[in-house]
Amino acid sequence: MDQRKMHGMWGSRWTFILAATGSAVGLGNIWKFPYIAGENGGGAFVLVYLVCIALVGIPVMMAEVLIGRRGRMSPINAMRYVTREAGLHSGWTSIGWMGVLAGLMIMAFYSVVAGWALNYVVEAGSGAFNGTSGEIAGGAFGEFLQDKSKLTLWHSLFSVMTLVVVAAGVTRGLGMVARVLMPFLFVVLILLLAYGFKNGDFGAAFNFLFDFKFDKLTWGGVLVALGHAFFTLSLGMGAIMAYGAYMPGHASLGRTIITVGLLDTLVALIAGMAIFPIVFGTPGLEAGAGPGLMFVSLPVAFGNMAAGQLFGTLFFVLVAVAAWSSAVSLIEPGVAWLVESKKFNRITATTALTLLAWLGGMGCIWSNNWLEDKPAGVYVFESLDFLTSQIMLPLGGLFIAIFVGWLMRRAIVCSEMDAEGHPLFDIWLFVVRYVSPILIAIVMILSLYNKFVA
Ligand code: PHE
């Protein structure tokens, strides 16, 4: 069947940009980036993250979208197509398989945390934060994490929300919502930035994030930064490859991807500069607080600012929407493959995969993670997060870079990039051939060696 009919197609370059930005901007920017920056000492970590975005993330993103657009199918079948075209061993298709698996593993914990945001919509709306302090907000969050039935409820609700959109088809499903609401997210973040500037310790936050002191940074932290560059750009697991497959042939890849990458980075930095002034300006809050950072510091800001009840509610609604438009792209690669190759209908395919991810999320909830004083045990969230962000996504990116840089015919790469004779094309190809793969390999080898062997 014609690809266009089977999955739909973005109307224009801008629809692709909005959809890709919708996938990229999510919990990774607003929840994860600030807390991992806090856990890894701030400044130097942020610098390494920015270098990874520029030298690995954006160049590899172009390569991944290029494969999708060339193959015009789900990541597994797109990989099969370009592999055949290049006359290579079918083992290269495993990039697609690993991506589908990584997507489900990420969705498992992603949906639980998005559920936290949904719960906080209700909390903020009911005025629970009014006049709150760091200590009270911290205690309330700790209690919430113990409440398994509440966590299950919100996690399940978010799973169903994702299911509905993916089942309806991504192009029809979420495009509209994201297009209208993403600009609002931006506005509310700027508002929080202003609040932090006026009432928090803006100077301390700025120094923390942009004062590059390397003594606090470990190899482990460098791998976290690299892995996060992949995570935040929805890279290395086929999400952006699947979106690339629905991209019209004439749209220029280079500029499009740079726009998405810059928007994503901007949102992360603004989120950091909205959250940390409050952390440093409030007794009892600390930068290294872990996954709860945003859910403790922002209630303090909203609870003590004019019209905070309204803006707080709005903010958590927007976080949930941002998470929603990312979650659909976590499931899409697997769904597209089931529809193409196993003749599933979209609804059955989506239901099956959402259910698998939902079970993983239940594992996160029941293994009592996220608590500060952890008893010995298995921590599903930490394991899923580590395996995906720090192993599978970088490996996926490494193979994609090698594939496009070394194995695809240069003429094909050049025509897909629409870059005949463009001077930047050679620079990009050099980065994809040498810089990105070597950086990924070095960081992975050194940090995993330090973690497990040294
Ligand atoms: N980029 C998303 C975020 O930052 C998460 C994501 C990762 C989505 C991988 C799709 C694929 O929240």
Side-chain angles (χ1 to χ4, degrees):
M1 199 198 310
D2 181 358
Q3 213 39 41
R4 201 174 289 244
K5 288 203 202 98
M6 198 184 289
H7 301 299
M9 193 90 174
W10 311 119
S12 68
R13 185 171 92 98
W14 269 102
T15 322
F16 172 84
I17 292 185
L18 285 166
T21 308
S23 165
V25 173
L27 295 173
N29 310 61
I30 307 165
W31 161 70
K32 199 173 178 193
F33 171 71
Y35 97 72
I36 56 177
E39 281 180 337
N40 289 285
F45 174 88
V46 175
L47 181 66
V48 173
Y49 158 76
L50 292 175
V51 170
C52 289
I53 292 281
L55 291 184
V56 180
I58 292 180
V60 173
M61 196 176 190
M62 291 175 190
E64 186 171 333
V65 175
L66 187 154
I67 295 180
R69 196 165 71 169
R70 182 82 194 162
R72 288 241 164 277
M73 273 173 281
S74 68
I76 293 175
N77 287 329
M79 275 314 301
R80 183 163 294 143
Y81 177 85
V82 291
T83 302
R84 278 205 193 124
E85 188 179 54
L88 297 165
H89 187 267
S90 62
W92 283 96
T93 316
S94 47
I95 297 179
W97 288 107
M98 184 170 71
V100 168
L101 185 64
L104 296 179
M105 288 165 71
I106 294 173
M107 181 60 186
F109 68 83
Y110 206 82
S111 159
V112 177
V113 178
W116 300 354
L118 289 176
N119 177 66
Y120 270 57
V121 170
V122 177
E123 298 277 322
S126 67
F129 303 152
N130 293 348
T132 196
S133 66
E135 209 172 317
I136 297 175
F141 183 70
E143 258 170 49
F144 170 56
L145 287 190
Q146 307 267 26
D147 191 338
K148 295 200 165 52
S149 41
K150 233 185 193 172
L151 292 171
T152 304
L153 177 81
W154 293 117
H155 162 53
S156 308
L157 179 65
F158 186 80
S159 301
V160 172
M161 284 164 58
T162 309
L163 190 158
V164 170
V165 174
V166 180
V170 176
T171 38
R172 262 183 309 161
L174 208 73
M176 277 302 292
V177 188
R179 189 183 316 202
V180 179
L181 290 181
M182 291 311 258
F184 274 107
L185 180 75
F186 226 71
V187 172
V188 180
L189 273 176
I190 303 272
L191 208 82
L192 276 171
L193 195 69
Y195 174 84
F197 189 72
K198 237 179 90 208
N199 304 301
D201 193 340
F202 201 77
F206 192 87
N207 287 340
F208 180 73
L209 285 177
F210 300 107
D211 191 1
F212 306 134
K213 289 205 194 75
F214 280 92
D215 49 329
K216 293 226 184 72
L217 192 67
T218 58
W219 272 111
V222 176
L223 180 60
V224 174
L226 176 77
H228 189 64
F230 282 97
F231 185 89
T232 192
L233 292 176
S234 306
L235 208 60
M237 50 69 66
I240 214 72
M241 194 187 287
Y243 278 22
Y246 313 148
M247 188 178 185
H250 47 82
S252 140
L253 257 173
R255 258 186 310 148
T256 306
I257 300 299
I258 290 175
T259 311
V260 176
L262 290 182
L263 280 175
D264 185 78
T265 309
L266 196 63
V267 174
L269 293 180
I270 296 179
M273 281 310 294
I275 288 174
F276 281 111
I278 299 156
V279 173
F280 290 116
T282 312
L285 296 189
E286 43 169 320
L293 187 67
M294 166 184 122
F295 293 90
V296 178
S297 74
L298 292 188
V300 176
F302 291 124
N304 297 287
M305 75 194 243
Q309 193 166 337
L310 175 71
F311 286 119
T313 313
L314 186 61
F315 176 81
F316 284 107
V317 168
L318 293 168
V319 171
V321 172
W324 196 16
S325 61
S326 300
V328 294
S329 67
L330 287 165
I331 304 282
E332 177 65 18
V335 170
W337 177 75
L338 284 175
V339 171
E340 276 166 13
S341 292
K342 297 286 151 204
K343 307 293 169 242
F344 274 53
N345 76 32
R346 245 192 118 77
I347 298 177
T348 322
T350 313
T351 310
L353 295 186
T354 310
L355 200 64
L356 278 178
W358 180 84
L359 284 173
M362 291 310 291
C364 293
I365 291 174
W366 279 95
S367 70
N368 229 0
N369 28 8
W370 291 300
L371 291 178
E372 261 178 48
D373 39 351
K374 290 171 187 288
V378 178
Y379 296 108
V380 179
F381 163 62
E382 281 83 351
S383 314
L384 289 175
D385 182 33
F386 174 76
L387 278 174
T388 51
S389 302
Q390 296 181 48
I391 309 276
M392 296 164 89
L393 303 188
L395 268 187
L398 176 68
F399 289 133
I400 286 169
I402 293 175
F403 192 92
V404 171
W406 294 95
L407 303 172
M408 256 173 126
R409 283 223 316 277
R410 191 193 150 103
I412 293 178
V413 174
C414 193
S415 89
E416 280 298 328
M417 288 293 282
D418 197 14
E420 205 58 65
H422 200 296
L424 287 179
F425 175 75
D426 290 319
I427 298 180
W428 169 77
L429 195 60
F430 177 83
V431 173
V432 169
R433 286 186 139 194
Y434 298 97
V435 182
S436 317
I438 291 175
L439 271 181
I440 300 172
I442 292 180
V443 171
M444 285 192 77
I445 291 170
L446 283 182
S447 45
L448 294 176
Y449 179 83
N450 275 332
K451 189 178 171 89
F452 293 113
V453 187

mmCIF file of all heavy atoms in Angstrom, residues 162-202:
data_model
loop_
_atom_site.group_PDB
_atom_site.id
_atom_site.type_symbol
_atom_site.label_atom_id
_atom_site.label_comp_id
_atom_site.label_asym_id
_atom_site.label_seq_id
_atom_site.Cartn_x
_atom_site.Cartn_y
_atom_site.Cartn_z
ATOM 1 N N THR A 162 -2.183 8.684 25.629
ATOM 2 C CA THR A 162 -1.229 8.425 24.549
ATOM 3 C C THR A 162 -1.824 7.459 23.537
ATOM 4 O O THR A 162 -1.734 7.665 22.322
ATOM 5 C CB THR A 162 0.073 7.834 25.134
ATOM 6 O OG1 THR A 162 0.508 8.677 26.197
ATOM 7 C CG2 THR A 162 1.154 7.737 24.088
ATOM 8 N N LEU A 163 -2.457 6.422 24.068
ATOM 9 C CA LEU A 163 -3.074 5.420 23.197
ATOM 10 C C LEU A 163 -4.054 6.063 22.218
ATOM 11 O O LEU A 163 -4.024 5.791 21.016
ATOM 12 C CB LEU A 163 -3.794 4.402 24.085
ATOM 13 C CG LEU A 163 -4.345 3.112 23.487
ATOM 14 C CD1 LEU A 163 -4.494 2.084 24.600
ATOM 15 C CD2 LEU A 163 -5.661 3.275 22.779
ATOM 16 N N VAL A 164 -4.888 6.939 22.750
ATOM 17 C CA VAL A 164 -5.926 7.548 21.908
ATOM 18 C C VAL A 164 -5.296 8.309 20.737
ATOM 19 O O VAL A 164 -5.730 8.165 19.584
ATOM 20 C CB VAL A 164 -6.809 8.501 22.756
ATOM 21 C CG1 VAL A 164 -7.719 9.329 21.864
ATOM 22 C CG2 VAL A 164 -7.615 7.702 23.757
ATOM 23 N N VAL A 165 -4.261 9.074 21.028
ATOM 24 C CA VAL A 165 -3.653 9.875 19.956
ATOM 25 C C VAL A 165 -2.941 9.006 18.940
ATOM 26 O O VAL A 165 -3.092 9.189 17.729
ATOM 27 C CB VAL A 165 -2.676 10.915 20.536
ATOM 28 C CG1 VAL A 165 -1.954 11.627 19.412
ATOM 29 C CG2 VAL A 165 -3.427 11.902 21.381
ATOM 30 N N VAL A 166 -2.158 8.031 19.426
ATOM 31 C CA VAL A 166 -1.418 7.193 18.480
ATOM 32 C C VAL A 166 -2.405 6.398 17.624
ATOM 33 O O VAL A 166 -2.216 6.233 16.421
ATOM 34 C CB VAL A 166 -0.429 6.257 19.198
ATOM 35 C CG1 VAL A 166 0.334 5.407 18.190
ATOM 36 C CG2 VAL A 166 0.562 7.077 20.013
ATOM 37 N N ALA A 167 -3.476 5.930 18.264
ATOM 38 C CA ALA A 167 -4.463 5.151 17.514
ATOM 39 C C ALA A 167 -5.118 6.008 16.433
ATOM 40 O O ALA A 167 -5.416 5.539 15.338
ATOM 41 C CB ALA A 167 -5.517 4.571 18.455
ATOM 42 N N ALA A 168 -5.321 7.288 16.737
ATOM 43 C CA ALA A 168 -5.961 8.178 15.763
ATOM 44 C C ALA A 168 -5.018 8.536 14.624
ATOM 45 O O ALA A 168 -5.436 9.079 13.607
ATOM 46 C CB ALA A 168 -6.442 9.450 16.450
ATOM 47 N N GLY A 169 -3.727 8.235 14.806
ATOM 48 C CA GLY A 169 -2.765 8.626 13.777
ATOM 49 C C GLY A 169 -2.072 9.901 14.227
ATOM 50 O O GLY A 169 -2.731 10.873 14.592
ATOM 51 N N VAL A 170 -0.753 9.869 14.196
ATOM 52 C CA VAL A 170 -0.012 10.993 14.774
ATOM 53 C C VAL A 170 -0.267 12.281 14.015
ATOM 54 O O VAL A 170 -0.439 13.347 14.607
ATOM 55 C CB VAL A 170 1.493 10.682 14.791
ATOM 56 C CG1 VAL A 170 2.270 11.867 15.299
ATOM 57 C CG2 VAL A 170 1.751 9.472 15.659
ATOM 58 N N THR A 171 -0.342 12.206 12.704
ATOM 59 C CA THR A 171 -0.472 13.451 11.948
ATOM 60 C C THR A 171 -1.787 14.153 12.258
ATOM 61 O O THR A 171 -1.835 15.349 12.447
ATOM 62 C CB THR A 171 -0.388 13.190 10.435
ATOM 63 O OG1 THR A 171 -1.057 11.971 10.157
ATOM 64 C CG2 THR A 171 1.028 13.113 9.976
ATOM 65 N N ARG A 172 -2.854 13.342 12.349
ATOM 66 C CA ARG A 172 -4.136 13.958 12.676
ATOM 67 C C ARG A 172 -4.225 14.198 14.173
ATOM 68 O O ARG A 172 -4.771 15.159 14.658
ATOM 69 C CB ARG A 172 -5.270 13.018 12.270
ATOM 70 C CG ARG A 172 -5.888 13.352 10.953
ATOM 71 C CD ARG A 172 -7.027 12.402 10.703
ATOM 72 N NE ARG A 172 -6.584 11.014 10.882
ATOM 73 C CZ ARG A 172 -7.408 9.977 11.084
ATOM 74 N NH1 ARG A 172 -8.689 10.162 11.156
ATOM 75 N NH2 ARG A 172 -6.923 8.759 11.207
ATOM 76 N N GLY A 173 -3.690 13.232 14.929
ATOM 77 C CA GLY A 173 -3.885 13.213 16.367
ATOM 78 C C GLY A 173 -3.363 14.428 17.103
ATOM 79 O O GLY A 173 -4.139 15.234 17.611
ATOM 80 N N LEU A 174 -2.047 14.566 17.129
ATOM 81 C CA LEU A 174 -1.524 15.545 18.069
ATOM 82 C C LEU A 174 -1.052 16.845 17.444
ATOM 83 O O LEU A 174 -0.880 17.832 18.152
ATOM 84 C CB LEU A 174 -0.380 14.928 18.866
ATOM 85 C CG LEU A 174 -0.282 15.593 20.235
ATOM 86 C CD1 LEU A 174 -1.424 15.148 21.122
ATOM 87 C CD2 LEU A 174 1.035 15.324 20.872
ATOM 88 N N GLY A 175 -0.859 16.855 16.156
ATOM 89 C CA GLY A 175 -0.332 18.043 15.507
ATOM 90 C C GLY A 175 -0.995 19.323 15.978
ATOM 91 O O GLY A 175 -0.344 20.263 16.416
ATOM 92 N N MET A 176 -2.306 19.304 15.944
ATOM 93 C CA MET A 176 -3.065 20.492 16.297
ATOM 94 C C MET A 176 -2.826 20.933 17.735
ATOM 95 O O MET A 176 -2.525 22.094 18.011
ATOM 96 C CB MET A 176 -4.563 20.210 16.118
ATOM 97 C CG MET A 176 -5.050 20.360 14.708
ATOM 98 S SD MET A 176 -4.738 22.010 14.090
ATOM 99 C CE MET A 176 -5.880 22.949 15.119
ATOM 100 N N VAL A 177 -2.955 19.992 18.650
ATOM 101 C CA VAL A 177 -2.814 20.314 20.070
ATOM 102 C C VAL A 177 -1.446 20.937 20.341
ATOM 103 O O VAL A 177 -1.336 21.977 20.987
ATOM 104 C CB VAL A 177 -2.966 19.034 20.916
ATOM 105 C CG1 VAL A 177 -3.020 19.379 22.393
ATOM 106 C CG2 VAL A 177 -4.207 18.269 20.502
ATOM 107 N N ALA A 178 -0.425 20.278 19.793
ATOM 108 C CA ALA A 178 0.930 20.752 20.056
ATOM 109 C C ALA A 178 1.132 22.146 19.473
ATOM 110 O O ALA A 178 1.720 23.021 20.097
ATOM 111 C CB ALA A 178 1.942 19.787 19.470
ATOM 112 N N ARG A 179 0.575 22.344 18.285
ATOM 113 C CA ARG A 179 0.765 23.618 17.604
ATOM 114 C C ARG A 179 0.199 24.774 18.430
ATOM 115 O O ARG A 179 0.773 25.836 18.502
ATOM 116 C CB ARG A 179 0.065 23.555 16.250
ATOM 117 C CG ARG A 179 0.382 24.730 15.391
ATOM 118 C CD ARG A 179 -0.386 24.671 14.108
ATOM 119 N NE ARG A 179 -0.377 23.335 13.515
ATOM 120 C CZ ARG A 179 -0.608 23.119 12.214
ATOM 121 N NH1 ARG A 179 -0.827 24.129 11.418
ATOM 122 N NH2 ARG A 179 -0.613 21.914 11.731
ATOM 123 N N VAL A 180 -0.924 24.530 19.071
ATOM 124 C CA VAL A 180 -1.551 25.599 19.828
ATOM 125 C C VAL A 180 -0.903 25.757 21.207
ATOM 126 O O VAL A 180 -0.683 26.868 21.681
ATOM 127 C CB VAL A 180 -3.063 25.311 19.976
ATOM 128 C CG1 VAL A 180 -3.733 26.405 20.794
ATOM 129 C CG2 VAL A 180 -3.703 25.204 18.602
ATOM 130 N N LEU A 181 -0.564 24.632 21.838
ATOM 131 C CA LEU A 181 -0.166 24.733 23.238
ATOM 132 C C LEU A 181 1.329 24.956 23.481
ATOM 133 O O LEU A 181 1.705 25.523 24.493
ATOM 134 C CB LEU A 181 -0.628 23.489 23.992
ATOM 135 C CG LEU A 181 -2.151 23.429 24.157
ATOM 136 C CD1 LEU A 181 -2.556 22.201 24.938
ATOM 137 C CD2 LEU A 181 -2.679 24.683 24.858
ATOM 138 N N MET A 182 2.180 24.515 22.544
ATOM 139 C CA MET A 182 3.615 24.685 22.790
ATOM 140 C C MET A 182 4.013 26.151 23.007
ATOM 141 O O MET A 182 4.798 26.447 23.896
ATOM 142 C CB MET A 182 4.458 24.069 21.667
ATOM 143 C CG MET A 182 4.418 22.564 21.611
ATOM 144 S SD MET A 182 4.715 21.797 23.200
ATOM 145 C CE MET A 182 6.374 21.313 22.985
ATOM 146 N N PRO A 183 3.489 27.080 22.192
ATOM 147 C CA PRO A 183 3.836 28.478 22.442
ATOM 148 C C PRO A 183 3.460 28.939 23.863
ATOM 149 O O PRO A 183 4.184 29.723 24.482
ATOM 150 C CB PRO A 183 3.030 29.240 21.393
ATOM 151 C CG PRO A 183 2.805 28.253 20.306
ATOM 152 C CD PRO A 183 2.683 26.928 20.978
ATOM 153 N N PHE A 184 2.354 28.402 24.385
ATOM 154 C CA PHE A 184 1.956 28.773 25.743
ATOM 155 C C PHE A 184 2.974 28.297 26.774
ATOM 156 O O PHE A 184 3.269 28.978 27.742
ATOM 157 C CB PHE A 184 0.592 28.174 26.092
ATOM 158 C CG PHE A 184 -0.544 29.020 25.661
ATOM 159 C CD1 PHE A 184 -1.335 28.666 24.590
ATOM 160 C CD2 PHE A 184 -0.810 30.216 26.335
ATOM 161 C CE1 PHE A 184 -2.380 29.455 24.178
ATOM 162 C CE2 PHE A 184 -1.857 31.017 25.927
ATOM 163 C CZ PHE A 184 -2.643 30.637 24.844
ATOM 164 N N LEU A 185 3.490 27.100 26.542
ATOM 165 C CA LEU A 185 4.490 26.558 27.459
ATOM 166 C C LEU A 185 5.674 27.513 27.557
ATOM 167 O O LEU A 185 6.184 27.810 28.636
ATOM 168 C CB LEU A 185 4.963 25.186 26.965
ATOM 169 C CG LEU A 185 6.021 24.524 27.853
ATOM 170 C CD1 LEU A 185 5.385 23.978 29.108
ATOM 171 C CD2 LEU A 185 6.733 23.407 27.120
ATOM 172 N N PHE A 186 6.072 27.989 26.412
ATOM 173 C CA PHE A 186 7.155 28.944 26.320
ATOM 174 C C PHE A 186 6.859 30.180 27.167
ATOM 175 O O PHE A 186 7.684 30.629 27.954
ATOM 176 C CB PHE A 186 7.303 29.347 24.852
ATOM 177 C CG PHE A 186 8.702 29.343 24.377
ATOM 178 C CD1 PHE A 186 9.374 28.139 24.205
ATOM 179 C CD2 PHE A 186 9.352 30.537 24.102
ATOM 180 C CE1 PHE A 186 10.689 28.138 23.769
ATOM 181 C CE2 PHE A 186 10.661 30.534 23.668
ATOM 182 C CZ PHE A 186 11.331 29.328 23.495
ATOM 183 N N VAL A 187 5.650 30.703 27.019
ATOM 184 C CA VAL A 187 5.264 31.930 27.726
ATOM 185 C C VAL A 187 5.286 31.697 29.243
ATOM 186 O O VAL A 187 5.819 32.504 30.003
ATOM 187 C CB VAL A 187 3.867 32.401 27.265
ATOM 188 C CG1 VAL A 187 3.368 33.558 28.120
ATOM 189 C CG2 VAL A 187 3.918 32.799 25.801
ATOM 190 N N VAL A 188 4.733 30.561 29.690
ATOM 191 C CA VAL A 188 4.690 30.320 31.129
ATOM 192 C C VAL A 188 6.101 30.116 31.684
ATOM 193 O O VAL A 188 6.420 30.559 32.785
ATOM 194 C CB VAL A 188 3.786 29.114 31.465
ATOM 195 C CG1 VAL A 188 3.753 28.876 32.955
ATOM 196 C CG2 VAL A 188 2.386 29.359 30.956
ATOM 197 N N LEU A 189 6.975 29.490 30.896
ATOM 198 C CA LEU A 189 8.357 29.324 31.352
ATOM 199 C C LEU A 189 9.028 30.685 31.529
ATOM 200 O O LEU A 189 9.751 30.915 32.491
ATOM 201 C CB LEU A 189 9.151 28.483 30.350
ATOM 202 C CG LEU A 189 9.079 26.967 30.539
ATOM 203 C CD1 LEU A 189 9.825 26.264 29.412
ATOM 204 C CD2 LEU A 189 9.652 26.532 31.880
ATOM 205 N N ILE A 190 8.768 31.592 30.595
ATOM 206 C CA ILE A 190 9.353 32.936 30.697
ATOM 207 C C ILE A 190 8.821 33.638 31.951
ATOM 208 O O ILE A 190 9.553 34.326 32.668
ATOM 209 C CB ILE A 190 8.995 33.784 29.444
ATOM 210 C CG1 ILE A 190 9.475 33.083 28.176
ATOM 211 C CG2 ILE A 190 9.546 35.194 29.560
ATOM 212 C CD1 ILE A 190 10.868 33.375 27.734
ATOM 213 N N LEU A 191 7.553 33.410 32.209
ATOM 214 C CA LEU A 191 6.943 33.997 33.407
ATOM 215 C C LEU A 191 7.631 33.492 34.678
ATOM 216 O O LEU A 191 7.932 34.253 35.605
ATOM 217 C CB LEU A 191 5.475 33.574 33.423
ATOM 218 C CG LEU A 191 4.525 34.498 34.109
ATOM 219 C CD1 LEU A 191 4.154 35.618 33.172
ATOM 220 C CD2 LEU A 191 3.272 33.732 34.514
ATOM 221 N N LEU A 192 7.910 32.173 34.705
ATOM 222 C CA LEU A 192 8.589 31.588 35.851
ATOM 223 C C LEU A 192 10.010 32.127 35.974
ATOM 224 O O LEU A 192 10.530 32.323 37.069
ATOM 225 C CB LEU A 192 8.663 30.070 35.698
ATOM 226 C CG LEU A 192 7.446 29.282 36.136
ATOM 227 C CD1 LEU A 192 7.592 27.835 35.719
ATOM 228 C CD2 LEU A 192 7.288 29.378 37.647
ATOM 229 N N LEU A 193 10.605 32.355 34.813
ATOM 230 C CA LEU A 193 11.947 32.924 34.785
ATOM 231 C C LEU A 193 11.921 34.296 35.462
ATOM 232 O O LEU A 193 12.774 34.616 36.292
ATOM 233 C CB LEU A 193 12.357 33.054 33.314
ATOM 234 C CG LEU A 193 13.799 33.299 32.972
ATOM 235 C CD1 LEU A 193 14.619 32.073 33.300
ATOM 236 C CD2 LEU A 193 13.937 33.588 31.463
ATOM 237 N N ALA A 194 10.911 35.076 35.128
ATOM 238 C CA ALA A 194 10.778 36.407 35.714
ATOM 239 C C ALA A 194 10.540 36.304 37.223
ATOM 240 O O ALA A 194 11.112 37.069 38.007
ATOM 241 C CB ALA A 194 9.631 37.164 35.049
ATOM 242 N N TYR A 195 9.754 35.330 37.622
ATOM 243 C CA TYR A 195 9.507 35.151 39.049
ATOM 244 C C TYR A 195 10.813 34.830 39.776
ATOM 245 O O TYR A 195 11.135 35.416 40.814
ATOM 246 C CB TYR A 195 8.493 34.030 39.305
ATOM 247 C CG TYR A 195 8.327 33.730 40.772
ATOM 248 C CD1 TYR A 195 7.453 34.481 41.553
ATOM 249 C CD2 TYR A 195 9.085 32.735 41.393
ATOM 250 C CE1 TYR A 195 7.337 34.236 42.911
ATOM 251 C CE2 TYR A 195 8.978 32.486 42.747
ATOM 252 C CZ TYR A 195 8.096 33.238 43.509
ATOM 253 O OH TYR A 195 7.991 33.003 44.848
ATOM 254 N N GLY A 196 11.581 33.909 39.191
ATOM 255 C CA GLY A 196 12.849 33.521 39.802
ATOM 256 C C GLY A 196 13.807 34.702 39.882
ATOM 257 O O GLY A 196 14.540 34.877 40.852
ATOM 258 N N PHE A 197 13.770 35.546 38.844
ATOM 259 C CA PHE A 197 14.650 36.707 38.798
ATOM 260 C C PHE A 197 14.315 37.667 39.921
ATOM 261 O O PHE A 197 15.187 38.215 40.582
ATOM 262 C CB PHE A 197 14.479 37.389 37.436
ATOM 263 C CG PHE A 197 15.486 38.466 37.184
ATOM 264 C CD1 PHE A 197 16.807 38.141 36.917
ATOM 265 C CD2 PHE A 197 15.117 39.801 37.213
ATOM 266 C CE1 PHE A 197 17.750 39.130 36.688
ATOM 267 C CE2 PHE A 197 16.048 40.802 36.986
ATOM 268 C CZ PHE A 197 17.367 40.457 36.723
ATOM 269 N N LYS A 198 13.020 37.847 40.152
ATOM 270 C CA LYS A 198 12.578 38.818 41.153
ATOM 271 C C LYS A 198 12.697 38.271 42.578
ATOM 272 O O LYS A 198 13.114 38.958 43.489
ATOM 273 C CB LYS A 198 11.112 39.207 40.880
ATOM 274 C CG LYS A 198 10.940 40.706 40.688
ATOM 275 C CD LYS A 198 9.498 41.084 40.391
ATOM 276 C CE LYS A 198 8.744 41.360 41.673
ATOM 277 N NZ LYS A 198 7.317 41.093 41.557
ATOM 278 N N ASN A 199 12.295 37.028 42.748
ATOM 279 C CA ASN A 199 12.157 36.519 44.106
ATOM 280 C C ASN A 199 13.173 35.460 44.523
ATOM 281 O O ASN A 199 13.330 35.185 45.695
ATOM 282 C CB ASN A 199 10.756 35.915 44.297
ATOM 283 C CG ASN A 199 9.681 36.928 43.976
ATOM 284 O OD1 ASN A 199 9.610 37.987 44.583
ATOM 285 N ND2 ASN A 199 8.868 36.618 42.988
ATOM 286 N N GLY A 200 13.827 34.837 43.556
ATOM 287 C CA GLY A 200 14.766 33.785 43.928
ATOM 288 C C GLY A 200 16.189 34.299 43.916
ATOM 289 O O GLY A 200 16.428 35.499 43.853
ATOM 290 N N ASP A 201 17.126 33.373 43.981
ATOM 291 C CA ASP A 201 18.531 33.765 43.916
ATOM 292 C C ASP A 201 19.037 33.501 42.498
ATOM 293 O O ASP A 201 19.626 32.466 42.209
ATOM 294 C CB ASP A 201 19.333 32.966 44.955
ATOM 295 C CG ASP A 201 20.716 33.554 45.146
ATOM 296 O OD1 ASP A 201 21.181 34.289 44.243
ATOM 297 O OD2 ASP A 201 21.331 33.285 46.191
ATOM 298 N N PHE A 202 18.774 34.479 41.631
ATOM 299 C CA PHE A 202 19.061 34.314 40.208
ATOM 300 C C PHE A 202 20.571 34.184 39.960
ATOM 301 O O PHE A 202 21.011 33.367 39.160
ATOM 302 C CB PHE A 202 18.504 35.530 39.452
ATOM 303 C CG PHE A 202 18.276 35.277 37.995
ATOM 304 C CD1 PHE A 202 17.180 34.545 37.564
ATOM 305 C CD2 PHE A 202 19.153 35.783 37.042
ATOM 306 C CE1 PHE A 202 16.960 34.311 36.222
ATOM 307 C CE2 PHE A 202 18.944 35.564 35.685
ATOM 308 C CZ PHE A 202 17.845 34.826 35.276
#
